[in-house]
Amino acid sequence: MAENTSELAIDARAVARRFGSRWVLRGVTMQLRPGEIVGLLGPNGCGKSTLLRIFGTLLRPSAGTASVYGHDVVTASDRVRAHIGFLAHEPGLYDDLTARENLWFAATMLGVGNEEIEESLARVGLSHARHERVRGFSAGMERRLSVARMLLGKPKLLLLDEPYSNLDAEGIAMMSGVIADAVREGGAALVVLHELAPAAGMLSRTVTLTDGKN
Amino acid sequence: MAANSVQTWSPPKAGRWPLFGVFALLFLIGSQFVAFTTSPPDRDMGELEKILYVHVPAAWIMSLTFAVVMFYSLRYLWKGDERDDLAAASAAEVGTMFNGLTLVLGMLWGKPAWGVWWAWDPRLTSTLVLFLIFVGYLSLRSFVDEPERRAKWSAAVGILGAINVPIVYMSVQWWRTLHQMQSTPDTVAGIYVLSLRLNAFAFLFVMIYFVRRRYESMCLERAAEHAEQAKALGGV
Amino acid sequence: MSMRDDFRRVRAIVWKDLTTERRSKAGFNGVVALGVTILLLFGFALGPETAAIKSAASGALWLAALFAAVLAFNRSYQVELEGGALDPLLLYPGARWAIFSGKLIANLAFVGLMLIIVVLVGIVLYQVSIPSTWPALLGVLALGAIGICTLGTFYAAMASRSRAREVLLPLLLFPMLVPVLLAAMQATKALLNGDLMHESGAWMKLLVAYDIIFLIVTHLAFEHVIEA
């Protein structure tokens, strides 16, 4: 039975990517359906982050195709971006700005109103630190703020690179809650994981990359 | 449709080009012969004037090559075909070579004519600036490994560089004329014009030939990279 | 996506760049100090006779400003590159040229302020008197700064993300800036001497033309360069 591919959150076919002469991805084919939370596993350096970045339109595939909700990541990247929330390994925050200012900047760039800022801060448990500069944040706080920024865009598909790292038990619960919320409303999530434990109960299934292929 | 890295083209064939190369070389020899035998020694420069039949055409062709770089760079940004990037790069390499030739010949002319190797002559100085712009373009290419990034960045730098060519010439010219500087002569007397035109065409043919050959070899290199890529992917 | 949204983004980026720069403190003072140091070194190179120094003043001023500005250009991308903030920046919707505009305006403020300080110090060090034509001189400073910052901000988008960035930026930038530097230096020199020959007008026209041409081209080309 043929899938109506425009309903697939992710449709990837033979995605490959090289850096210089090194092939990091050698042909990954996978699909993500709305409502799924899929874990992406594999040893270090197997290309999990690279694959996530390709889905997030931050890298172009060297070969193969990928689309998000029917939009090709190369030719319709702006439409893809409107649907996704990307949580990178690095927080990507401005150290000399406060939490609130970081979110204000993101909100302005997204075209989202300022009311959303307080809501996001509250969701990740950082309301108390809104006027503190990120330079003084712990790694866990930075992670939470990145999540808050991601939520501003009300994303449908979450692309998360090791989201549980640096989080305490409370943070882990918050993260799982955020993922569950997003997926409940028809979204989906692809989560790069170093270890299954924090997300074990939530995953619909896992995809494991070995030697750049699945 | 995947990004540029999937090769959708086959490398250009040499075809009749080697024949053209022979023609270009013969034309050049012929033009130089005509120049040497038909134009009398200049009143001021004597036989030294003969160097102009290489120096001036080389300078014209250099500017033309910049225009070629700009054309293919624009085309690359518009269409995304990596062959246009390779064509631009070939033209840039050949242009740098002609540029270097122009500089050296200019200095060889200048030493007897002015008594010094360098006298901040407006045309020669502009040529040096353009040489450095070309060098910047080639350096950028050598510092970037990713083919698509290298192509996009080179295209931008090539276009900006080409646009700057007339502005550089103008500004250096104004700078020197303000201070009444002698410059390499604008040979206009009738007898010289024919020989100059002939040699200009000769150099044009030689340039076209060189760019074409360099383009062919770059395409072959790139095709080899693509083949290696296909192998690494195991025929996916 | 409307133009108003893009202008709003430009303002946000200008605010962000200037605020992070102001709060990190180290940057601006260091760049100004470098500019003044270079002025001093030129003084040693050209002096100690006042006549020699005075006649070379405009050249030395602009070169000092240029070398100091190069530091600013790579820095303006460093904030994003170090913390991984370039990714989120590229994921926001809207036109890419807005990112360039924002960074350009922020760099202009930074370099412009530095230039004014360097010129004032230069006037003292090189014993130049402030001419009656000083409003035109301010115009030349502005036009020169725009020319330098436009190409500097553009090339730094590439250089800061490649190997050998310290070499690549000056290598690409300096030959391209020859018209700006010639025009700015000559116009400054003429104006400092009262511009008796009315030379500065022609040079200023060249600066205006150069600035307009490259402002347009860089804005058009930026999206190809920042995404790659």
Side-chain angles (χ1 to χ4, degrees):
Chain A
M1 179 161 55
E3 294 255 23
N4 180 358
T5 50
S6 68
E7 282 178 10
L8 286 175
I10 294 180
D11 186 14
R13 301 180 191 206
V15 170
R17 173 75 199 196
R18 64 179 262 206
F19 291 109
S21 57
R22 196 168 70 92
W23 283 99
V24 171
L25 293 172
R26 291 166 187 275
V28 175
T29 298
M30 60 172 281
Q31 292 175 336
L32 195 69
R33 280 165 280 279
E36 286 195 306
I37 302 175
V38 173
L40 191 55
L41 307 168
N44 280 338
C46 67
K48 309 192 291 290
S49 294
T50 305
L51 187 63
L52 210 69
R53 289 169 70 80
I54 289 178
F55 294 148
T57 73
L58 290 170
L59 275 182
R60 291 183 166 205
S62 301
T65 60
S67 59
V68 168
Y69 290 111
H71 303 293
D72 187 275
V73 297
V74 173
T75 56
S77 53
D78 47 345
R79 272 192 285 261
V80 170
R81 284 172 197 153
H83 286 90
I84 60 176
F86 195 89
L87 195 71
H89 209 44
E90 286 178 309
L93 300 164
Y94 297 107
D95 285 346
D96 289 303
L97 298 181
T98 66
R100 200 172 188 291
E101 286 170 341
N102 266 284
L103 290 186
W104 174 85
F105 177 71
T108 310
M109 297 297 285
L110 283 167
V112 150
N114 287 349
E115 329 74 55
E116 316 273 347
I117 297 177
E118 288 303 327
E119 216 181 286
S120 268
L121 280 172
R123 183 72 186 81
V124 302
L126 279 180
S127 301
H128 63 283
R130 67 166 76 74
H131 293 304
E132 282 175 38
R133 294 206 190 155
V134 172
R135 194 174 285 285
F137 274 24
S138 67
M141 290 167 81
E142 284 187 343
R143 170 73 58 189
R144 290 172 188 246
L145 190 56
S146 311
V147 174
R149 180 180 57 197
M150 182 182 72
L151 291 177
L152 284 175
K154 301 234 188 308
K156 226 164 136 188
L157 170 66
L158 299 185
L159 299 169
L160 311 172
D161 200 341
E162 306 203 18
Y164 292 104
S165 58
N166 298 315
L167 288 178
D168 55 13
E170 205 189 307
I172 291 176
M174 178 274 294
M175 190 75 239
S176 298
V178 162
I179 298 177
D181 285 345
V183 168
R184 187 173 305 130
E185 288 142 30
L190 182 61
V191 188
V192 168
L193 290 169
H194 204 55
E195 39 163 29
L196 270 179
M202 286 189 355
L203 299 178
S204 320
R205 58 189 166 93
T206 62
V207 168
T208 309
L209 291 185
T210 26
D211 200 30
K213 277 168 128 77
N214 64 322
Chain B
M1 178 62 68
N4 259 326
S5 295
V6 168
Q7 183 178 352
T8 49
W9 45 271
S10 49
K13 300 254 186 310
R16 293 219 157 70
W17 284 98
L19 230 65
F20 181 79
V22 173
F23 161 72
L25 184 62
L26 291 175
F27 196 91
L28 179 62
I29 294 174
S31 304
Q32 286 290 300
F33 183 74
V34 167
F36 267 73
T37 52
T38 60
S39 61
D42 179 76
R43 187 188 54 216
D44 301 311
M45 289 182 276
E47 297 292 348
L48 188 57
E49 161 258 6
K50 301 286 190 287
I51 216 177
L52 291 177
Y53 291 109
V54 185
H55 171 68
V56 174
W60 291 346
I61 299 309
M62 178 197 75
S63 298
L64 189 61
T65 330
F66 253 119
V68 171
V69 171
M70 172 146 149
F71 173 75
Y72 281 109
S73 295
L74 282 169
R75 200 146 174 266
Y76 173 74
L77 288 182
W78 175 37
K79 291 201 158 148
D81 186 342
E82 63 178 340
R83 282 177 295 176
D84 287 328
D85 169 58
L86 297 179
S90 309
E93 284 190 11
V94 173
T96 309
M97 192 193 81
F98 274 98
N99 198 320
L101 185 66
T102 308
L103 276 173
V104 168
L105 291 175
M107 287 166 68
L108 284 178
W109 180 89
K111 181 72 168 116
W114 303 319
V116 288
W117 288 111
W118 190 267
W120 294 97
D121 160 70
R123 279 218 277 278
L124 212 53
T125 308
S126 308
T127 308
L128 181 55
V129 175
L130 296 176
F131 182 72
L132 291 171
I133 293 181
F134 262 136
V135 165
Y137 176 95
L138 295 176
S139 302
L140 177 67
R141 285 189 78 88
S142 73
F143 281 135
V144 181
D145 298 318
E146 283 302 303
E148 197 176 337
R149 175 183 273 200
R150 181 176 57 211
K152 289 234 153 97
W153 286 7
S154 305
V157 168
I159 292 169
L160 261 66
I163 290 176
N164 214 4
V165 169
I167 308 180
V168 168
Y169 263 109
M170 242 170 55
S171 57
V172 177
Q173 194 84 17
W174 285 5
W175 178 57
R176 291 320 276 168
T177 52
L178 278 180
H179 306 265
Q180 261 84 42
M181 185 61 215
Q182 183 195 43
S183 70
T184 46
D186 231 341
T187 37
V188 279
I191 341 170
Y192 302 113
V193 169
L194 173 66
S195 299
L196 272 179
R197 285 226 180 101
L198 217 52
N199 275 286
F201 276 106
F203 274 86
L204 179 63
F205 297 145
V206 169
M207 181 269 267
I208 292 174
Y209 178 69
F210 280 173
V211 174
R212 169 71 195 188
R213 296 300 273 176
R214 187 72 191 100
Y215 169 66
E216 283 170 17
S217 83
M218 277 197 183
C219 283
L220 282 173
E221 280 168 20
R222 193 83 187 92
E225 282 179 17
H226 279 298
E228 184 218 322
Q229 161 185 320
K231 210 175 75 167
L233 291 180
V236 170
Chain C
M1 287 306 129
S2 66
M3 277 293 251
R4 260 184 55 219
D5 288 332
D6 286 328
F7 283 131
R8 203 189 53 229
R9 288 192 191 96
V10 170
R11 284 200 304 273
I13 292 184
V14 173
W15 174 86
K16 187 262 298 172
D17 273 13
L18 289 179
T19 307
T20 49
E21 186 55 58
R22 208 177 54 228
R23 292 185 188 169
S24 73
K25 290 185 172 72
F28 185 73
N29 301 340
V31 169
V32 170
L34 179 66
V36 170
T37 306
I38 296 174
L39 280 180
L40 186 65
L41 294 180
F42 269 117
F44 292 144
L46 303 160
E49 282 112 57
T50 27
I53 299 184
K54 261 187 169 165
S55 75
S58 84
L61 281 175
W62 280 102
L63 286 184
L66 176 66
F67 296 150
V70 166
L71 293 181
F73 298 141
N74 270 331
R75 273 177 66 81
S76 87
Y77 291 94
Q78 220 161 305
V79 160
E80 261 89 23
L81 292 174
E82 272 168 1
L86 191 59
D87 285 346
L89 192 60
L90 290 176
L91 287 176
Y92 296 128
R96 293 303 182 217
W97 62 257
I99 300 177
F100 181 67
S101 265
K103 289 202 166 290
L104 171 57
I105 294 173
N107 276 337
L108 210 45
F110 188 101
V111 168
L113 189 56
M114 180 266 290
L115 185 56
I116 290 178
I117 296 177
V118 164
V119 166
L120 289 175
V121 172
I123 282 178
V124 170
L125 282 183
Y126 296 157
Q127 300 169 9
V128 174
S129 46
I130 300 185
S132 57
T133 48
W134 64 266
L137 190 58
L138 279 178
V140 173
L141 292 182
L143 291 173
I146 292 174
I148 293 176
C149 288
T150 303
L151 284 189
T153 308
F154 188 80
Y155 283 118
M158 296 181 276
S160 63
R161 293 154 71 205
S162 66
R163 310 200 299 261
R165 71 180 67 139
E166 295 81 15
V167 166
L168 196 56
L169 183 56
L171 181 59
L172 289 174
L173 187 58
F174 290 178
M176 289 291 291
L177 288 181
V178 161
V180 175
L181 293 171
L182 272 180
M185 288 175 182
Q186 294 303 311
T188 304
K189 188 170 184 178
L191 287 169
L192 285 178
N193 295 327
D195 198 17
L196 303 164
M197 310 267 270
H198 300 289
E199 286 172 16
S200 65
W203 288 118
M204 285 180 81
K205 288 208 190 85
L206 179 65
L207 279 173
V208 170
Y210 182 98
D211 286 352
I212 291 177
I213 291 173
F214 281 109
L215 273 171
I216 295 175
V217 177
T218 50
H219 275 83
L220 290 175
F222 188 72
E223 61 171 293
H224 296 285
V225 148
I226 197 70
E227 296 253 14

